[in-house]
Amino acid sequence: MMAILSGTSLVGCTDENANNKEEAYSYQSKQQLTFPDFVHTSRIPHASDAYAYAVDHTEELSFIPCYCQCGSIDHKSVRDCFIREHDGDKVTFNEHGSGCGICVDIVLNTKVGLDEGKSLDKVRQEIDDTIGEGKEPTITPYPPKNL
């Protein structure tokens, strides 16, 4: 079983971030990546770590569902809670993840599982079984066998 890292998953989405503001912040070049203020001022522990991981792991996170009820705002995976667009060196961030402990926990648990050498499919199953228990997931495709 996967341990919930930050312990914030019961917090869920907070304040205005639960509404998934569609304001996007774009930055050029991952080497000079600067996060928007909402990442640095988040009251959710380790939100900046989740954003940093999301930038470099958008493909993997697109196969991990979110359980904060963000499917109602058209999110398809936990990736959408942090990254609106990722096109080459241009990243457009979504503010939603900065106010949601569930989203942050899912990303950080994905990181831990993959760092431990687990397959993406196994990581997803553990998240489904722990964080997702009794909650409605986003409509997220399963990862291909090669990830």
Side-chain angles (χ1 to χ4, degrees):
M1 277 282 172
M2 181 174 286
I4 297 175
L5 294 178
S6 67
T8 59
S9 67
L10 297 177
V11 173
C13 299
T14 61
D15 303 326
E16 68 279 355
N17 297 326
N19 295 323
N20 191 34
K21 287 183 181 179
E22 285 303 320
E23 296 175 35
Y25 299 81
S26 297
Y27 295 87
Q28 298 296 325
S29 178
K30 287 196 301 188
Q31 293 146 350
Q32 298 177 0
L33 188 65
T34 304
F35 291 109
D37 288 341
F38 61 75
V39 173
H40 301 294
T41 60
S42 173
R43 291 178 282 168
I44 304 298
H46 308 290
S48 61
D49 296 329
Y51 274 92
Y53 189 78
V55 168
D56 290 330
H57 297 88
T58 57
E59 181 180 18
E60 293 93 336
L61 294 176
S62 70
F63 296 107
I64 302 292
C66 190
Y67 287 94
C68 77
Q69 306 304 307
C70 63
S72 65
I73 52 175
D74 296 325
H75 285 189
K76 305 298 182 215
S77 70
V78 74
R79 173 202 180 272
D80 296 341
C81 301
F82 297 88
I83 305 294
R84 186 166 162 202
E85 288 183 49
H86 194 305
D87 184 21
D89 286 338
K90 183 177 181 184
V91 179
T92 306
F93 296 99
N94 189 333
E95 188 173 7
H96 180 89
S98 69
C100 187
I102 293 171
C103 302
V104 169
D105 282 352
I106 292 169
V107 169
L108 296 180
N109 277 284
T110 299
K111 178 188 183 314
V112 167
L114 292 176
D115 286 352
E116 291 174 349
K118 295 176 183 173
S119 69
L120 189 59
D121 191 52
K122 177 69 173 167
V123 169
R124 178 181 172 149
Q125 186 61 53
E126 289 178 350
I127 288 170
D128 289 346
D129 291 345
T130 57
I131 297 172
E133 186 176 2
K135 298 179 183 124
E136 186 69 29
T138 52
I139 306 299
T140 306
Y142 282 88
K145 296 296 180 196
N146 63 342
L147 281 180

Coordinates of all heavy atoms in Angstrom, one line a residue, residues 43-130:
R43 N -1.2 27.6 0.6 CA -1.2 27.1 1.9 C -1.1 25.6 2.0 O -1.1 25.0 3.1 CB -2.4 27.6 2.6 CG -2.3 29.1 2.9 CD -3.6 29.6 3.5 NE -4.6 29.7 2.5 CZ -5.9 29.9 2.7 NH1 -6.4 30.0 3.9 NH2 -6.7 30.0 1.7
I44 N -1.1 24.9 0.9 CA -1.0 23.5 0.8 C 0.4 23.0 0.9 O 1.2 23.5 0.0 CB -1.7 22.9 -0.5 CG1 -3.1 23.4 -0.7 CG2 -1.6 21.4 -0.6 CD1 -4.1 22.9 0.4
P45 N 0.8 22.2 1.9 CA 2.2 21.8 2.0 C 2.7 21.1 0.7 O 2.0 20.3 0.2 CB 2.2 20.8 3.2 CG 1.0 21.2 4.0 CD 0.0 21.7 3.0
H46 N 3.9 21.4 0.3 CA 4.5 20.8 -0.8 C 3.9 21.1 -2.2 O 4.2 20.3 -3.2 CB 4.7 19.3 -0.6 CG 5.3 19.0 0.7 ND1 6.6 19.2 1.0 CD2 4.8 18.5 1.8 CE1 6.9 18.9 2.2 NE2 5.8 18.4 2.8
A47 N 3.1 22.1 -2.3 CA 2.4 22.4 -3.6 C 3.5 22.7 -4.7 O 3.4 22.3 -5.8 CB 1.5 23.6 -3.5
S48 N 4.6 23.5 -4.3 CA 5.6 23.8 -5.2 C 6.3 22.6 -5.7 O 6.7 22.5 -6.9 CB 6.6 24.8 -4.7 OG 7.2 24.3 -3.5
D49 N 6.5 21.6 -4.9 CA 7.1 20.3 -5.3 C 6.2 19.6 -6.3 O 6.7 19.0 -7.3 CB 7.3 19.4 -4.1 CG 8.3 19.9 -3.1 OD1 9.2 20.7 -3.5 OD2 8.2 19.6 -1.9
A50 N 4.9 19.6 -6.1 CA 4.0 19.0 -7.0 C 4.0 19.7 -8.4 O 4.0 19.0 -9.4 CB 2.6 19.0 -6.5
Y51 N 4.1 21.0 -8.4 CA 4.2 21.7 -9.7 C 5.5 21.4 -10.4 O 5.5 21.2 -11.6 CB 4.1 23.3 -9.4 CG 2.6 23.7 -9.4 CD1 1.9 23.8 -8.2 CD2 2.0 24.1 -10.6 CE1 0.6 24.2 -8.2 CE2 0.6 24.5 -10.5 CZ 0.0 24.6 -9.3 OH -1.3 25.0 -9.3
A52 N 6.6 21.4 -9.7 CA 7.9 21.1 -10.3 C 7.9 19.7 -10.9 O 8.4 19.5 -12.0 CB 9.0 21.2 -9.2
Y53 N 7.3 18.7 -10.2 CA 7.2 17.4 -10.7 C 6.3 17.3 -11.9 O 6.6 16.7 -12.9 CB 6.7 16.4 -9.6 CG 6.8 15.0 -10.1 CD1 8.0 14.3 -10.0 CD2 5.7 14.3 -10.5 CE1 8.1 13.0 -10.4 CE2 5.8 12.9 -10.9 CZ 7.0 12.3 -10.9 OH 7.1 11.0 -11.3
A54 N 5.2 18.0 -11.9 CA 4.2 18.0 -13.0 C 4.8 18.6 -14.3 O 4.5 18.1 -15.4 CB 3.0 18.8 -12.6
V55 N 5.7 19.5 -14.2 CA 6.3 20.1 -15.4 C 7.1 19.1 -16.1 O 7.1 19.0 -17.4 CB 7.3 21.3 -15.0 CG1 8.1 21.7 -16.2 CG2 6.4 22.5 -14.5
D56 N 7.9 18.2 -15.4 CA 8.7 17.2 -16.1 C 8.0 15.9 -16.3 O 8.7 15.0 -16.8 CB 10.0 17.0 -15.2 CG 10.9 18.2 -15.3 OD1 10.9 18.9 -16.3 OD2 11.6 18.5 -14.3
H57 N 6.8 15.7 -15.8 CA 6.2 14.4 -15.9 C 4.7 14.5 -16.3 O 3.8 13.8 -15.9 CB 6.2 13.7 -14.5 CG 7.6 13.4 -14.1 ND1 8.4 14.3 -13.4 CD2 8.5 12.3 -14.3 CE1 9.6 13.8 -13.2 NE2 9.7 12.6 -13.8
T58 N 4.5 15.4 -17.3 CA 3.1 15.6 -17.8 C 2.5 14.3 -18.4 O 1.4 14.0 -18.2 CB 3.1 16.7 -18.8 OG1 3.9 16.5 -19.9 CG2 3.4 18.0 -18.1
E59 N 3.4 13.5 -19.1 CA 2.8 12.3 -19.8 C 2.4 11.3 -18.7 O 1.2 10.8 -18.8 CB 3.9 11.7 -20.7 CG 3.3 10.4 -21.3 CD 4.3 9.7 -22.2 OE1 5.5 10.0 -22.1 OE2 3.8 8.9 -23.0
E60 N 3.2 11.0 -17.7 CA 2.8 10.1 -16.7 C 1.6 10.5 -15.9 O 0.7 9.7 -15.7 CB 4.0 9.9 -15.7 CG 5.2 9.2 -16.3 CD 6.2 10.2 -16.8 OE1 5.9 11.3 -17.1 OE2 7.4 9.8 -16.9
L61 N 1.5 11.8 -15.6 CA 0.4 12.3 -14.8 C -0.9 12.4 -15.6 O -2.0 12.4 -15.1 CB 0.7 13.7 -14.3 CG 1.8 13.7 -13.2 CD1 2.1 15.2 -12.8 CD2 1.5 12.9 -12.0
S62 N -0.8 12.3 -16.9 CA -2.0 12.3 -17.8 C -2.7 11.0 -17.7 O -3.9 10.8 -18.1 CB -1.7 12.6 -19.2 OG -1.0 11.6 -19.8
F63 N -2.1 10.0 -17.1 CA -2.7 8.6 -16.9 C -3.1 8.4 -15.4 O -3.5 7.3 -15.0 CB -1.8 7.5 -17.3 CG -1.5 7.6 -18.8 CD1 -0.3 8.0 -19.3 CD2 -2.5 7.3 -19.7 CE1 0.0 8.1 -20.6 CE2 -2.2 7.3 -21.1 CZ -1.0 7.7 -21.5
I64 N -3.0 9.4 -14.6 CA -3.3 9.3 -13.1 C -4.6 10.1 -12.9 O -4.6 11.3 -13.1 CB -2.2 9.8 -12.2 CG1 -0.9 9.0 -12.5 CG2 -2.6 9.7 -10.8 CD1 -0.9 7.5 -12.1
P65 N -5.7 9.5 -12.4 CA -6.9 10.2 -12.2 C -6.8 11.1 -10.9 O -5.9 10.9 -10.1 CB -7.9 9.1 -11.9 CG -7.2 7.9 -11.5 CD -5.8 8.1 -12.1
C66 N -7.6 12.1 -10.9 CA -7.7 13.0 -9.7 C -9.0 12.6 -9.0 O -10.0 12.2 -9.7 CB -7.7 14.4 -10.1 SG -7.5 15.5 -8.6
Y67 N -9.1 12.8 -7.7 CA -10.2 12.5 -6.9 C -10.8 13.7 -6.1 O -11.5 13.5 -5.2 CB -9.9 11.4 -5.9 CG -9.7 10.0 -6.6 CD1 -8.5 9.6 -7.1 CD2 -10.8 9.3 -6.9 CE1 -8.4 8.4 -7.7 CE2 -10.7 8.0 -7.6 CZ -9.5 7.6 -8.0 OH -9.4 6.4 -8.6
C68 N -10.6 14.9 -6.6 CA -11.1 16.0 -5.8 C -12.4 16.6 -6.4 O -12.8 17.7 -6.1 CB -10.0 17.1 -5.8 SG -9.8 18.1 -7.3
Q69 N -13.0 15.8 -7.3 CA -14.2 16.2 -8.0 C -14.0 17.2 -9.1 O -14.9 17.9 -9.6 CB -15.3 16.7 -7.0 CG -15.6 15.8 -5.9 CD -16.0 14.4 -6.3 OE1 -16.9 14.3 -7.1 NE2 -15.3 13.4 -5.9
C70 N -12.7 17.3 -9.6 CA -12.4 18.3 -10.6 C -12.9 17.8 -12.0 O -12.8 18.6 -13.0 CB -10.9 18.7 -10.7 SG -9.8 17.3 -11.0
G71 N -13.3 16.6 -12.1 CA -13.9 16.1 -13.4 C -15.1 17.0 -13.8 O -15.4 17.2 -15.0
S72 N -15.8 17.6 -12.8 CA -16.9 18.5 -13.0 C -16.5 19.8 -13.7 O -17.3 20.5 -14.2 CB -17.7 18.7 -11.7 OG -16.8 19.5 -10.8
I73 N -15.2 20.1 -13.7 CA -14.7 21.3 -14.4 C -13.8 20.8 -15.5 O -12.9 21.5 -15.9 CB -14.0 22.2 -13.4 CG1 -12.9 21.5 -12.6 CG2 -15.0 22.9 -12.5 CD1 -12.0 22.4 -11.7
D74 N -14.1 19.7 -16.1 CA -13.5 19.1 -17.3 C -12.1 18.7 -17.2 O -11.4 18.6 -18.2 CB -13.7 20.1 -18.5 CG -15.2 20.3 -18.8 OD1 -15.9 19.3 -18.7 OD2 -15.6 21.4 -19.2
H75 N -11.6 18.5 -16.0 CA -10.2 17.9 -15.9 C -10.3 16.4 -16.3 O -11.3 15.7 -15.9 CB -9.7 18.0 -14.5 CG -9.3 19.4 -14.1 ND1 -8.6 19.7 -13.0 CD2 -9.4 20.6 -14.8 CE1 -8.3 21.0 -12.9 NE2 -8.8 21.5 -14.0
K76 N -9.3 15.9 -17.0 CA -9.3 14.6 -17.4 C -8.3 13.7 -16.6 O -8.3 12.5 -16.7 CB -8.9 14.5 -18.9 CG -9.7 15.3 -19.8 CD -11.2 14.9 -19.8 CE -12.0 15.7 -20.8 NZ -13.4 15.9 -20.3
S77 N -7.4 14.4 -15.9 CA -6.4 13.7 -15.0 C -5.8 14.7 -14.1 O -6.1 15.9 -14.1 CB -5.3 13.1 -15.9 OG -4.5 14.1 -16.4
V78 N -5.0 14.2 -13.1 CA -4.4 15.1 -12.2 C -3.4 16.1 -12.9 O -3.2 17.2 -12.4 CB -3.7 14.3 -11.0 CG1 -2.4 13.7 -11.5 CG2 -3.4 15.2 -9.8
R79 N -2.9 15.7 -14.0 CA -2.1 16.7 -14.8 C -2.8 18.0 -15.0 O -2.2 19.1 -14.9 CB -1.7 16.1 -16.1 CG -1.0 17.0 -17.0 CD -1.2 16.5 -18.5 NE -0.5 17.4 -19.4 CZ -1.0 18.5 -20.0 NH1 -2.2 18.9 -19.7 NH2 -0.3 19.3 -20.8
D80 N -4.1 17.9 -15.3 CA -4.9 19.2 -15.6 C -5.0 20.1 -14.4 O -5.3 21.3 -14.6 CB -6.3 18.8 -16.1 CG -6.2 18.0 -17.4 OD1 -5.2 18.1 -18.1 OD2 -7.2 17.4 -17.7
C81 N -4.8 19.6 -13.2 CA -4.9 20.4 -12.0 C -3.7 21.3 -11.9 O -3.7 22.3 -11.2 CB -5.0 19.5 -10.7 SG -6.4 18.4 -10.8
F82 N -2.6 21.0 -12.6 CA -1.3 21.7 -12.4 C -0.9 22.4 -13.8 O -0.3 23.5 -13.8 CB -0.2 20.8 -11.9 CG -0.5 20.3 -10.6 CD1 -1.2 19.1 -10.4 CD2 0.0 21.0 -9.5 CE1 -1.5 18.7 -9.1 CE2 -0.3 20.6 -8.2 CZ -1.1 19.4 -8.0
I83 N -1.1 21.7 -14.9 CA -0.6 22.1 -16.2 C -1.8 22.2 -17.1 O -2.5 21.3 -17.3 CB 0.4 21.1 -16.7 CG1 1.6 20.8 -15.8 CG2 0.9 21.6 -18.1 CD1 2.5 21.9 -15.5
R84 N -1.9 23.4 -17.6 CA -3.0 23.6 -18.6 C -2.4 23.3 -20.0 O -3.1 22.6 -20.8 CB -3.4 25.1 -18.6 CG -4.6 25.3 -19.5 CD -5.2 26.7 -19.1 NE -6.1 27.1 -20.2 CZ -6.4 28.3 -20.5 NH1 -6.0 29.2 -19.6 NH2 -7.2 28.6 -21.5
E85 N -1.2 23.7 -20.3 CA -0.6 23.4 -21.6 C 0.9 23.2 -21.4 O 1.5 23.9 -20.5 CB -0.8 24.5 -22.6 CG -2.2 24.7 -23.2 CD -2.3 25.8 -24.2 OE1 -1.4 25.8 -25.1 OE2 -3.1 26.6 -24.1
H86 N 1.4 22.3 -22.2 CA 2.9 22.1 -22.1 C 3.3 21.8 -23.5 O 3.1 20.7 -24.1 CB 3.2 20.9 -21.2 CG 4.6 20.8 -20.8 ND1 5.7 20.7 -21.7 CD2 5.2 20.7 -19.6 CE1 6.8 20.6 -21.1 NE2 6.6 20.6 -19.8
D87 N 3.9 22.8 -24.1 CA 4.3 22.7 -25.5 C 5.7 23.1 -25.7 O 6.1 24.3 -25.7 CB 3.4 23.6 -26.4 CG 3.6 23.5 -27.9 OD1 4.2 22.5 -28.3 OD2 3.3 24.5 -28.6
G88 N 6.6 22.1 -25.8 CA 8.0 22.4 -25.9 C 8.5 23.1 -24.6 O 8.4 22.5 -23.5
D89 N 9.1 24.2 -24.8 CA 9.6 25.0 -23.6 C 8.5 25.9 -23.0 O 8.8 26.6 -22.0 CB 10.8 25.8 -24.0 CG 12.0 25.0 -24.2 OD1 12.1 23.9 -23.7 OD2 12.9 25.4 -24.9
K90 N 7.4 25.9 -23.5 CA 6.3 26.8 -23.0 C 5.4 26.0 -22.1 O 4.8 25.0 -22.5 CB 5.5 27.5 -24.1 CG 4.5 28.4 -23.6 CD 3.7 29.1 -24.7 CE 2.7 30.1 -24.2 NZ 2.0 30.7 -25.2
V91 N 5.2 26.5 -20.9 CA 4.4 25.8 -19.9 C 3.3 26.8 -19.4 O 3.7 27.9 -19.1 CB 5.2 25.3 -18.7 CG1 4.2 24.7 -17.7 CG2 6.2 24.4 -19.1
T92 N 2.1 26.4 -19.5 CA 1.0 27.3 -18.9 C 0.4 26.5 -17.7 O -0.1 25.4 -17.8 CB -0.1 27.5 -20.0 OG1 0.5 28.0 -21.2 CG2 -1.1 28.5 -19.5
F93 N 0.5 27.2 -16.6 CA 0.1 26.6 -15.3 C -1.4 26.8 -15.0 O -2.0 27.8 -15.4 CB 0.9 27.1 -14.2 CG 2.3 26.8 -14.3 CD1 3.2 27.7 -14.8 CD2 2.8 25.6 -13.9 CE1 4.6 27.4 -14.9 CE2 4.2 25.3 -14.0 CZ 5.0 26.2 -14.5
N94 N -2.0 25.8 -14.3 CA -3.3 26.0 -13.8 C -3.3 26.2 -12.3 O -2.5 25.5 -11.6 CB -4.1 24.7 -14.1 CG -5.6 24.8 -13.8 OD1 -6.0 25.6 -13.0 ND2 -6.4 24.0 -14.5
E95 N -4.0 27.2 -11.8 CA -4.0 27.5 -10.4 C -4.6 26.5 -9.5 O -4.3 26.4 -8.3 CB -4.7 28.9 -10.3 CG -4.6 29.5 -8.9 CD -5.2 30.9 -8.8 OE1 -5.8 31.4 -9.8 OE2 -5.0 31.5 -7.8
H96 N -5.4 25.7 -10.1 CA -6.2 24.7 -9.3 C -5.4 23.9 -8.3 O -5.7 23.8 -7.1 CB -7.0 23.8 -10.2 CG -7.8 22.8 -9.5 ND1 -9.1 23.0 -9.1 CD2 -7.5 21.5 -9.0 CE1 -9.6 21.9 -8.5 NE2 -8.6 21.0 -8.4
G97 N -4.3 23.3 -8.7 CA -3.5 22.5 -7.8 C -2.9 23.2 -6.6 O -2.6 22.6 -5.6
S98 N -2.7 24.5 -6.7 CA -2.2 25.2 -5.6 C -3.1 25.3 -4.4 O -2.7 25.7 -3.3 CB -1.8 26.6 -6.0 OG -2.9 27.4 -6.3
G99 N -4.4 25.0 -4.6 CA -5.3 25.1 -3.5 C -6.0 23.8 -3.2 O -7.0 23.7 -2.5
C100 N -5.4 22.7 -3.6 CA -6.0 21.4 -3.4 C -5.0 20.3 -2.9 O -4.2 19.9 -3.6 CB -6.6 20.9 -4.7 SG -7.6 19.4 -4.5
G101 N -5.2 19.9 -1.6 CA -4.4 18.9 -1.0 C -4.5 17.6 -1.7 O -3.5 16.8 -1.7
I102 N -5.7 17.2 -2.1 CA -5.8 15.9 -2.8 C -5.0 15.9 -4.1 O -4.3 14.9 -4.3 CB -7.3 15.7 -3.1 CG1 -8.1 15.5 -1.8 CG2 -7.5 14.5 -4.0 CD1 -9.6 15.5 -2.0
C103 N -5.0 16.9 -4.9 CA -4.2 17.0 -6.1 C -2.7 16.9 -5.8 O -2.0 16.1 -6.4 CB -4.5 18.3 -6.8 SG -6.2 18.6 -7.3
V104 N -2.3 17.6 -4.8 CA -0.8 17.6 -4.4 C -0.5 16.2 -4.0 O 0.6 15.6 -4.4 CB -0.5 18.7 -3.4 CG1 0.8 18.5 -2.8 CG2 -0.7 20.1 -4.0
D105 N -1.3 15.6 -3.1 CA -1.0 14.2 -2.6 C -0.9 13.2 -3.8 O 0.0 12.4 -3.8 CB -2.1 13.7 -1.7 CG -1.9 14.3 -0.3 OD1 -0.9 15.0 0.0 OD2 -2.8 14.1 0.5
I106 N -1.8 13.3 -4.7 CA -1.8 12.4 -5.9 C -0.5 12.5 -6.7 O 0.2 11.5 -7.0 CB -3.0 12.6 -6.8 CG1 -4.3 12.1 -6.0 CG2 -2.8 11.8 -8.1 CD1 -5.6 12.5 -6.7
V107 N -0.1 13.7 -6.9 CA 1.2 13.9 -7.7 C 2.4 13.4 -6.9 O 3.2 12.7 -7.5 CB 1.4 15.4 -8.1 CG1 2.8 15.7 -8.6 CG2 0.3 15.8 -9.1
L108 N 2.5 13.8 -5.7 CA 3.6 13.4 -4.9 C 3.7 11.9 -4.6 O 4.7 11.3 -4.6 CB 3.7 14.2 -3.6 CG 3.9 15.7 -3.8 CD1 4.0 16.4 -2.4 CD2 5.2 16.0 -4.6
N109 N 2.5 11.2 -4.5 CA 2.5 9.8 -4.4 C 2.9 9.1 -5.7 O 3.5 8.0 -5.7 CB 1.1 9.3 -3.9 CG 1.0 9.4 -2.4 OD1 1.6 8.6 -1.6 ND2 0.3 10.4 -1.9
T110 N 2.5 9.7 -6.8 CA 3.0 9.2 -8.1 C 4.5 9.3 -8.2 O 5.1 8.3 -8.6 CB 2.3 10.0 -9.2 OG1 0.9 9.9 -9.2 CG2 2.8 9.5 -10.6
K111 N 5.1 10.4 -7.8 CA 6.5 10.5 -7.8 C 7.2 9.5 -6.9 O 8.1 8.8 -7.4 CB 6.9 11.9 -7.2 CG 8.4 12.1 -7.2 CD 8.7 13.4 -6.5 CE 10.2 13.7 -6.4 NZ 11.1 12.6 -6.1
V112 N 6.7 9.3 -5.7 CA 7.3 8.3 -4.8 C 7.2 6.9 -5.4 O 8.2 6.1 -5.5 CB 6.7 8.3 -3.4 CG1 7.1 7.1 -2.6 CG2 7.1 9.6 -2.7
G113 N 6.1 6.5 -5.9 CA 5.9 5.2 -6.5 C 6.8 5.0 -7.7 O 7.5 3.9 -7.8
L114 N 6.9 5.9 -8.6 CA 7.8 5.8 -9.8 C 9.2 5.8 -9.4 O 10.0 5.0 -9.9 CB 7.5 6.9 -10.8 CG 6.1 6.8 -11.5 CD1 5.9 8.0 -12.4 CD2 5.9 5.5 -12.2
D115 N 9.6 6.6 -8.4 CA 11.0 6.6 -7.9 C 11.4 5.3 -7.3 O 12.5 4.9 -7.3 CB 11.2 7.7 -6.9 CG 11.2 9.1 -7.5 OD1 11.3 9.2 -8.7 OD2 11.2 10.1 -6.7
E116 N 10.4 4.6 -6.7 CA 10.6 3.2 -6.1 C 10.7 2.2 -7.2 O 10.9 1.0 -6.9 CB 9.5 2.9 -5.1 CG 9.5 3.7 -3.9 CD 8.3 3.5 -3.0 OE1 7.3 2.8 -3.4 OE2 8.4 4.0 -1.8
G117 N 10.5 2.5 -8.4 CA 10.6 1.6 -9.5 C 9.3 0.9 -9.9 O 9.3 -0.1 -10.7
K118 N 8.2 1.3 -9.3 CA 6.9 0.7 -9.6 C 6.5 1.1 -11.0 O 6.8 2.2 -11.5 CB 5.9 1.1 -8.6 CG 6.2 0.6 -7.2 CD 5.1 1.1 -6.2 CE 5.5 0.6 -4.8 NZ 4.7 1.2 -3.8
S119 N 5.7 0.3 -11.7 CA 5.1 0.7 -13.0 C 4.1 1.8 -12.8 O 3.5 1.9 -11.7 CB 4.5 -0.5 -13.7 OG 3.3 -0.9 -13.0
L120 N 3.8 2.5 -13.8 CA 2.8 3.5 -13.7 C 1.4 2.9 -13.4 O 0.6 3.5 -12.7 CB 2.7 4.4 -15.0 CG 1.9 5.6 -15.0 CD1 2.3 6.6 -13.9 CD2 1.9 6.3 -16.3
D121 N 1.2 1.7 -14.0 CA -0.1 1.0 -13.7 C -0.2 0.7 -12.2 O -1.3 0.8 -11.7 CB -0.2 -0.2 -14.6 CG -1.5 -0.9 -14.6 OD1 -2.5 -0.2 -14.8 OD2 -1.6 -2.1 -14.3
K122 N 0.9 0.2 -11.6 CA 0.9 -0.2 -10.2 C 0.7 1.1 -9.3 O -0.1 1.1 -8.4 CB 2.2 -0.9 -9.8 CG 2.3 -1.2 -8.4 CD 1.4 -2.3 -8.0 CE 1.7 -2.7 -6.5 NZ 0.6 -3.5 -6.0
V123 N 1.3 2.2 -9.7 CA 1.2 3.4 -9.0 C -0.3 3.9 -9.0 O -0.9 4.3 -8.0 CB 2.1 4.5 -9.5 CG1 1.8 5.9 -8.9 CG2 3.6 4.1 -9.2
R124 N -0.9 3.8 -10.2 CA -2.3 4.3 -10.4 C -3.2 3.4 -9.5 O -4.1 3.9 -8.8 CB -2.7 4.2 -11.8 CG -4.1 4.6 -12.0 CD -4.6 4.5 -13.4 NE -6.1 4.6 -13.5 CZ -6.7 5.2 -14.5 NH1 -6.0 5.6 -15.5 NH2 -8.0 5.3 -14.5
Q125 N -3.0 2.1 -9.5 CA -3.8 1.2 -8.7 C -3.7 1.5 -7.2 O -4.7 1.6 -6.5 CB -3.4 -0.3 -8.9 CG -4.3 -1.2 -8.3 CD -5.7 -1.1 -8.7 OE1 -6.0 -1.2 -9.9 NE2 -6.7 -0.9 -7.8
E126 N -2.5 1.8 -6.7 CA -2.3 2.2 -5.3 C -3.0 3.5 -5.0 O -3.6 3.6 -3.9 CB -0.8 2.2 -5.0 CG -0.2 0.9 -5.0 CD 1.3 0.9 -4.7 OE1 1.9 2.0 -4.7 OE2 1.9 -0.2 -4.4
I127 N -2.9 4.4 -5.9 CA -3.6 5.7 -5.7 C -5.1 5.5 -5.7 O -5.9 6.0 -4.8 CB -3.2 6.8 -6.7 CG1 -1.8 7.2 -6.4 CG2 -4.2 8.0 -6.7 CD1 -1.1 8.1 -7.4
D128 N -5.6 4.7 -6.6 CA -7.1 4.4 -6.7 C -7.5 3.7 -5.4 O -8.6 4.1 -4.8 CB -7.4 3.4 -7.8 CG -7.2 4.0 -9.2 OD1 -7.2 5.3 -9.3 OD2 -7.2 3.3 -10.2
D129 N -6.7 2.8 -4.8 CA -7.1 2.1 -3.6 C -6.9 2.9 -2.3 O -7.6 2.6 -1.3 CB -6.2 0.8 -3.5 CG -6.4 -0.2 -4.5 OD1 -7.5 -0.1 -5.2 OD2 -5.6 -1.1 -4.7
T130 N -6.1 3.9 -2.3 CA -5.9 4.7 -1.1 C -6.6 6.1 -1.2 O -7.7 6.2 -0.5 CB -4.4 4.9 -0.8 OG1 -3.8 5.5 -1.9 CG2 -3.7 3.6 -0.5

